[in-house]
Amino acid sequence: MVYTPRSTRHGALLLGTVAVLGLLTACGNGHDVHSNPPVTDSGTAAPATGGTESPASGASGPAATATGAAASSSVPKANPSTSGGGTTASAAGTRCHTSELRASVGRNDPGAGQENFPVVLTNKSGRTCTLRGYPGAAFVNSSGTQLGPDPKREPGSPATITLKPGQSAWAGLTFSNPGISGAKTATPAALVVTPPDERDALKVAWSGGAVPVSGNSSSVFLSVFSPGTAP
């Protein structure tokens, strides 16, 4: 047995007591050194809703009600990249949003077995904005279900159209007369129209009669926007 002097044992006891007190103090000071920093989830702002008229479907065929809700789960809801090409940063920054526009369908101008309707978007806001490319569009029934496939795009050269408050732009909606083509038809309750590069749509009551939805020559076509309200 090794003899340890009493003074040495007393010093070791004091050092041990000091160490224990120091540990207790560190644990009771109210700071947890292992706690994680707070995490903030980033969100995405909902697109603007509004408008009192209707949408139609383009290459992506979006459709929604005037309040911004989808007309039907069977109808696409977005109309991305409808410009038909790249847009400048300034054009993108001044783009007309759905809530700033009013939609309407002009009078039919038939010819050579074709039905031709101008789809018109009018700037109802108090600022100047721009449109470029094709609208989205879809025919829907009274319950909001899409009738027929999405319209196709006619070849065209998109141009940026500047709309001052109250000014309009139009895009052509054309299809072969079903009585001549023999296509199967349906009579829509509305046309749903989505402005270029927007997600929300406008709904316009349809009074143009039966439209082709399947069979021979049933395709519906859309043209790029041009200034004004009609050809």
Side-chain angles (χ1 to χ4, degrees):
M1 177 177 178
V2 178
Y3 173 74
T4 303
R6 183 175 180 178
S7 60
T8 302
R9 283 180 289 161
H10 182 66
L13 180 60
L14 288 175
L15 289 174
T17 301
V18 170
V20 170
L21 289 174
L23 180 60
L24 291 174
T25 301
C27 293
N29 63 4
H31 297 285
D32 182 2
V33 294
H34 298 291
S35 63
N36 294 323
V39 176
T40 301
D41 291 331
S42 60
T44 301
T49 60
T52 56
E53 314 180 56
S54 95
S57 88
S60 58
T65 64
T67 58
S72 167
S73 59
S74 64
V75 180
K77 191 179 178 182
N79 189 32
S81 303
T82 55
S83 62
T87 58
T88 64
S90 59
T94 60
R95 185 178 81 241
C96 296
H97 300 295
T98 302
S99 60
E100 300 175 306
L101 298 167
R102 179 175 65 252
S104 60
V105 177
R107 186 174 58 185
N108 184 20
D109 183 21
Q114 292 288 114
E115 309 301 321
N116 306 296
F117 295 87
V119 177
V120 181
L121 292 181
T122 301
N123 180 4
K124 66 175 186 178
S125 74
R127 75 177 184 106
T128 298
C129 60
T130 61
L131 289 176
R132 178 185 174 89
Y134 297 83
F139 291 112
V140 298
N141 62 19
S142 58
S143 64
T145 300
Q146 181 170 340
L147 302 174
D150 292 344
K152 299 179 180 180
R153 293 179 177 180
E154 291 184 342
S157 300
T160 300
I161 301 171
T162 299
L163 299 181
K164 295 180 180 179
Q167 290 186 330
S168 303
W170 69 278
L173 176 73
T174 65
F175 52 86
S176 296
N177 184 308
I180 298 174
S181 68
K184 294 181 180 179
T185 66
T187 300
L191 178 68
V192 177
V193 181
T194 307
D197 300 307
E198 288 291 295
R199 298 183 64 84
D200 291 330
L202 303 166
K203 180 181 284 186
V204 180
W206 178 258
S207 58
V211 300
V213 294
S214 65
N216 295 333
S217 301
S218 60
S219 295
V220 177
F221 294 88
L222 286 167
S223 69
V224 296
F225 276 109
S226 298
T229 59

